[in-house]
Amino acid sequence: MWQDEQFGSLRIGFQTNRLLFKHQSPYQLIEVFETVDYGTILRLDGTWQCSTELEHTYHEMIVHPALTTAPSIENVLIVGGGDGGTAREVLRYPEVRNVDLVEIDSDVVKACKEHLSSIGEGAWDDPRLNLIIGDGIQFVRDAHQKYDVIIVDGSDPIGPSVGLFNSAFFESCARALKSDGVLVTQAESPRVMLDNHIGLIQTIRQHFENVAPYYQGQIIYPGGVWSWIYASQSVDRKNILRDPDPDLMIYNTEIHHAAFAIPNYVQHIINRH
């Protein structure tokens, strides 16, 4: 049995053995499948999110460029990330003392804990993790403390994630960060979602001095390449302050520097704005 995500004229399919879970939450349709070759996979509103065999590329890349370069990483905020993978990677660092994870859909957390437990691993039981079920946009807007790092691990700009892509949200993030803090957000496919990708770079540039997109191959997502944006008022993303864990599957210092190389077709558009 094949299960697909369709994005325009592009389809991304996985051969599956069985459907493990299906539930319509107040926010989205949650589906979990057992695949033939890629472990257990999560689909939200028809779009692939993560699989137990392929998730490291995404979760390592959204976390470690920020956590290896931010001057302080004691207090971290994750917006989204209900599968637990981003929290798992953040909590690798002994310097981290508190992680606030704000996920709007408790049903996603429950489904991932039950069916994709290897992604969150021990993060859910780590006393440094504070899980908050609520609206991440409002949480950031109302934040009464300053964070060292903010990681925006939302899905595509549809449904509950729409507000994670607008100027008001990143203005709130800038206020909620320390002056030497670092923001990272997922930034869509630079191939099949190019307008969204460029638009997000431009939006974040309105609120941060240093803004740099970075890239890595992703089997599970449309276009085969995914992007993130690194932003700070003062931190140089080239200055690695902490050695990455040698047990990581993907990320290392060479990957870090290579990931920030911008393809010509993207650079040409950025230079025009």
Side-chain angles (χ1 to χ4, degrees):
M1 178 174 62
W2 285 84
Q3 294 291 334
D4 295 332
E5 171 186 343
Q6 185 163 346
F7 184 86
S9 60
L10 178 67
R11 296 175 71 183
I12 308 104
F14 288 88
Q15 189 176 12
T16 63
N17 292 320
R18 58 187 175 131
L19 174 67
L20 299 175
F21 180 82
K22 184 175 183 178
H23 172 68
Q24 178 66 54
S25 82
Y27 300 99
Q28 56 209 329
L29 176 62
I30 304 167
E31 297 170 291
V32 179
F33 298 91
E34 178 188 89
T35 72
V36 172
D37 291 315
Y38 298 104
T40 305
I41 191 166
L42 173 69
R43 187 167 69 179
L44 299 179
D45 279 343
T47 63
W48 299 120
Q49 300 298 310
C50 58
S51 87
T52 54
E53 294 299 314
L54 300 172
E55 54 90 10
H56 291 86
T57 309
Y58 177 88
H59 289 125
E60 291 183 14
M61 293 304 295
I62 199 172
V63 169
H64 298 296
L67 271 289
T68 57
T69 58
S72 174
I73 57 172
E74 290 185 1
N75 196 21
V76 178
L77 171 63
I78 301 170
V79 178
D83 56 57
T86 296
R88 178 198 72 212
E89 293 302 315
V90 169
L91 291 165
R92 285 180 180 271
Y93 293 83
E95 289 175 64
V96 173
R97 295 186 178 180
N98 176 73
V99 180
D100 290 336
L101 190 161
V102 186
E103 166 61 52
I104 197 168
D105 196 340
S106 62
D107 291 336
V108 168
V109 176
K110 292 175 185 175
C112 291
K113 283 183 175 181
E114 181 175 355
H115 298 288
L116 299 96
S117 59
S118 65
I119 295 181
E121 290 183 337
W124 300 119
D125 299 318
D126 193 306
R128 294 174 293 169
L129 180 65
N130 177 32
L131 173 62
I132 301 157
I133 301 300
D135 184 345
I137 298 167
Q138 181 178 344
F139 184 90
V140 175
R141 185 172 61 240
D142 298 339
H144 298 298
Q145 60 175 308
K146 298 283 188 177
Y147 290 94
D148 298 303
V149 176
I150 296 177
I151 299 173
V152 184
D153 183 10
S155 54
D156 296 333
I158 57 175
S161 292
V162 169
L164 300 178
F165 290 78
N166 63 38
S167 181
F169 173 68
F170 290 107
E171 182 180 13
S172 296
C173 287
R175 288 198 305 268
L177 272 175
K178 294 180 181 177
S179 59
D180 60 354
V182 173
L183 167 81
V184 167
T185 182
Q186 76 88 4
E188 302 292 280
S189 166
R191 290 297 301 175
V192 300
M193 304 170 185
L194 180 59
D195 289 345
N196 286 341
H197 178 59
I198 297 296
L200 197 55
I201 294 171
Q202 295 169 341
T203 296
I204 295 174
R205 279 180 166 178
Q206 297 172 18
H207 306 290
F208 291 88
E209 291 296 322
N210 300 331
V211 177
Y214 63 99
Y215 307 90
Q216 184 61 258
Q218 297 285 331
I219 294 175
I220 196 172
Y221 299 141
V225 177
W226 209 247
S227 71
W228 301 264
I229 295 172
Y230 180 110
S232 178
Q233 305 297 5
S234 60
V235 178
D236 183 354
R237 49 89 177 168
K238 297 178 182 178
N239 187 21
I240 296 177
L241 303 175
R242 298 171 193 84
D243 293 331
D245 187 336
D247 292 331
L248 294 175
M249 183 174 291
I250 303 296
Y251 180 86
N252 55 40
T253 55
E254 291 81 6
I255 291 288
H256 178 99
H257 294 299
F260 284 94
I262 302 175
N264 284 343
Y265 74 95
V266 177
Q267 187 68 69
H268 292 330
I269 299 172
I270 292 173
N271 289 344
R272 292 202 298 265
H273 294 85

